[in-house]
Structures are given as C-alpha cells and as structure tokens.
Amino acid sequence: MTQPLAPYGAVPTGAAIARRRIALGTLGTFGTLGLAGLLGCGGGSDGSSGTTGSGGGTDTSGGSDTGTPQTCSVVPEETAGPYPADGSSASNANYNVLALSGIVREDIRKSIGATGNVDGVPLSISITLTGTRSGCAALAGYAVYLWHCSQEGNYSVYTERSIAANYLRGVQVTDAGGTVTFSTVVPGCYAGRMPHMHLEIYPSLALATTASQSVKTTQLAFPTDTLGAIYAAHSGYSASVRNLAAMSFATDNVFSDGTELQMTTMASDGSGGYTATAAISIAA
C-alpha cells in the first residue's frame, strides 16, 4: 500500500464550519451537499419524523414493538468527503465507480475483476433503511452506495489514482425488509477523524449512476471500545491505535454534534471477524 493521503477533516476551515449540519428540527436538502471535497460536516438534514402502529416500522431508538406508535428520525446529512468517486468533482477528479460494470456487489473486499482481498479484519455490515414519511416502513428497492478507507487509512481510486483500484466500494439494493449487507473489512482510523463509513442513498438502482441523483449522503460511526480492541489485536491497524487515541467523537468535526442516529452495533462473529448493524431513516 502507498502512504495514506492527507486526511480530510483534520482541521476545519471557515467554509467547512459554515457547512456544518443544521439541527434535526430543520428541513434539509438532498444528499448532494459536501460533494466538492470540503472539509468537515455537510449541510442540513430533513427533520421529518414518522409514526407507525403495532404492525411494523423500525424503531431507531432500539425499543421493541409493544403496540405503541414508533417514531424514526431522518439520519443527518454529512459530507461525502474528498474521495467519493461518485462522478462529482471532488478532489479535482471526476472518477465514477458507479458507472462500472460489477459495482453492484455484496463483497467489496477487492477491486472488480481482481484476485485477493485487501487486508483487514473481516466485517459483515447490514444496514436497514426506513422512511419517516411512510410510517417508518422499510424502504425496498433503494440503492445504497457504501465506501470507506482501508486498515491503513487509504481510499481506493484516489490512493492509486486509478478507477481500476475500486476496493471497499460497492452498491447494493435494499430487499423487502429495507436491508442491504456488505462483506468488507473493519475500517482503519486515520489522523483527524473517528473511524467511519460513507453512504449515498438513491431512490433506485437505475438512478445510482452519479452523485447528483442521490437523496441522502451520510456517515456511519462505530463503537470506540470495540474498534480499540480490534486495532490493538491486529498489527495491520497499528497506525489506527495511535490515531484513535488522539481522537474522540467530541473532537470529530462530523460526529461532534451526536452519533445517536448513525451509530452501528458490533459483535464478534465467532470466527475472527465481526458483524455490524445499523438502522437509518430518510424522508421518504
């Protein structure tokens, strides 16, 4: 691997601070904000919420269905960062992995057509999508583009300056239960940011062709204690040990205003890898 690119988000600029997300009570815009490679947190979120009766819906607070109405809140809008490779002009390069044949895939641990997975602790992550305007019902048929850094803190495409290197990037379509699952590796922690994954959500696979079609851009957070233990136990994450020790959610310029709607749940899979789950809602 080459050395990690200079991390974004380490030192917020005035422009970045101006784009910090608006509180959940404010109506926001679609997920094209922050795609110009600006540092820090993206624009506003749509604070719509919905309710559903005892028959269904996803309660993002973690409660069980007891017959009382459930509520869900729109996941915050966040920056796509400088390395989305989604057809936007971020990082002065219009890379677009969404146009690649084969980008719709469950296993994103290697580049399309390549052999051998990238190094890292195996992780299976499942994301369930619900809609605040449809009674918190599961949203089937939506396309989710997920990307994140390697255990060394590198982002594919931009590290190699080649769209052929597209590991740790992929698209899946939500099933009848609103869920997508990706096989990947535990993301590393690079200087200036807490560990995270990026998501862009599209109304359909047919529209998942360029960033301008997305309806939500956000990021997922991970429990610090679990990642700290993983990093300490695996030498490939040695830089992450140092970087994580120097950071916290309070000092992260994306997650400092809260992670309640973006936090994943992690557990060991019993065979050296981990599973993670997340439930997020959009205004749909």
Side-chain angles (χ1 to χ4, degrees), residues 19-48:
R19 293 176 63 87
R20 287 200 61 80
R21 74 172 172 260
I22 302 169
L24 288 175
T26 304
L27 291 176
T29 56
F30 285 156
T32 55
L33 296 177
L35 295 179
L38 295 176
L39 304 181
C41 188
S45 64
D46 185 334
S48 303

Side-chain angles (χ1 to χ4, degrees), residues 4-5 7 10 149-154 188-195 224 228 231 236-249 251-252:
L5 297 171
C149 72
S150 66
Q151 68 172 2
E152 297 90 358
N154 294 323
C189 179
Y190 55 84
R193 281 300 316 276
M194 290 294 284
T224 304
Y231 294 163
Y237 292 92
S238 59
S240 294
V241 174
R242 299 189 301 272
N243 293 333
L244 185 61
M247 281 297 299
S248 69
F249 288 120
T251 58
D252 185 276

